[in-house]
Amino acid sequence: MSIGHTLLGLLESGPRHGYDLKRTFDEKFGQDRPLHYGQVYSTMSRLLKNGLVEVDGVESEGGPERKRYAITDAGITDVSRWLAQPEKPEPYLQSTLYTKVVLALLTDRSAAALLDSQRSEHLRMMRILTDRKRRGDLADQLICDHALFHLEADLRWLELTAARLDQLAKVVAP
C-alpha cells in the first residue's frame, strides 16, 4: 500500500493535522497494521518537500505546534494518476512455501507433513477471518473476503502439490 498516496487521498476532503490523518487512516485501512506517528510525519514531510501538500496553518493552543496540511493541485493530480493505474497482479512465483516443499524433498524430510501443517494453519486463519467477517462492517467483510479468496487459492495449491509429491520428488531429487 502506498501510505503517501493514501494520506494524500484523505486530504482531498479537506486540510487535516497529522494526528487526524493517522486516526482516519487507522480507522479506514490500518485495523491490522496501524500507522506509527513517526511514519505519518515523515511521509508528510516528504510530501511537503515534493510539493504535493502544503502547510495550511499552524496551531499551538498551549502545547506543541500542530501543522495542518492541505493537498496541492500537484497532489490531486498525483492521487488521480495513482488511482487510475491498475495494481500489478502478484504471480507468487517465488513462493516460500514451494521452496520449503522442495527443500523438504531434497533433505529427506516429510514434504507431506509440511503440507499438512500448512493446510492446518491456512484453515485456522480462514476460521479467524470468517469470524471477523461475520462480526465486521462492510469494509471488514470486503477485506476479509480478499484474504479468504487468497487463502482458498493457497489451499487448492496445497492439495494439488500433495497429490503430485511423488512426481515432484522425482524431478527435484532424482
Side-chain angles (χ1 to χ4, degrees):
M1 174 188 303
S2 171
I3 307 258
H5 286 112
T6 305
L7 295 176
L8 283 172
L10 292 174
L11 282 172
E12 281 201 49
S13 65
R16 298 177 191 224
H17 296 98
Y19 173 82
D20 297 327
L21 285 167
K22 180 205 176 338
R23 191 183 70 232
T24 304
F25 181 97
D26 289 350
E27 287 172 2
K28 302 286 184 196
F29 312 109
Q31 294 171 345
D32 295 314
R33 295 181 75 186
L35 285 180
H36 295 285
Y37 284 104
Q39 191 173 12
V40 172
Y41 293 110
S42 65
T43 301
M44 295 312 296
S45 177
R46 182 177 41 80
L47 295 173
L48 186 64
K49 185 177 84 172
N50 292 336
L52 302 176
V53 299
E54 60 191 9
V55 175
D56 185 57
V58 178
E59 302 165 2
S60 62
E61 298 178 17
E65 287 188 348
R66 293 179 33 176
K67 293 178 185 174
R68 188 174 57 243
Y69 299 96
I71 191 168
T72 62
D73 289 341
I76 292 170
T77 300
D78 198 52
V79 171
S80 294
R81 191 176 309 125
W82 178 68
L83 289 173
Q85 183 178 5
E87 287 297 306
K88 181 181 176 187
E90 293 291 333
Y92 301 104
L93 294 177
Q94 293 297 320
S95 167
T96 303
L97 188 51
Y98 173 77
T99 301
K100 285 183 170 187
V101 169
V102 170
L103 285 174
L105 292 171
L106 289 173
T107 60
D108 293 324
R109 289 181 172 90
S110 174
L114 184 151
L115 291 170
D116 286 343
S117 173
Q118 191 63 51
R119 185 181 306 104
S120 294
E121 187 61 20
H122 271 63
L123 291 170
R124 184 187 71 77
M125 180 56 67
M126 289 176 84
R127 284 189 296 275
I128 290 168
L129 290 169
T130 300
D131 184 54
R132 177 176 165 180
K133 180 181 164 180
R134 267 190 225 109
R135 292 181 286 110
D137 60 11
L138 180 59
D140 234 11
Q141 292 169 14
L142 291 170
I143 289 169
C144 289
D145 280 339
H146 187 260
L148 286 164
F149 293 151
H150 281 275
L151 290 169
E152 286 173 8
D154 286 351
L155 281 175
R156 288 196 322 264
W157 182 85
L158 290 167
E159 295 300 325
L160 178 68
T161 303
R164 294 180 173 174
L165 268 181
D166 290 339
Q167 289 175 271
L168 183 60
K170 290 175 188 171
V171 172
V172 299

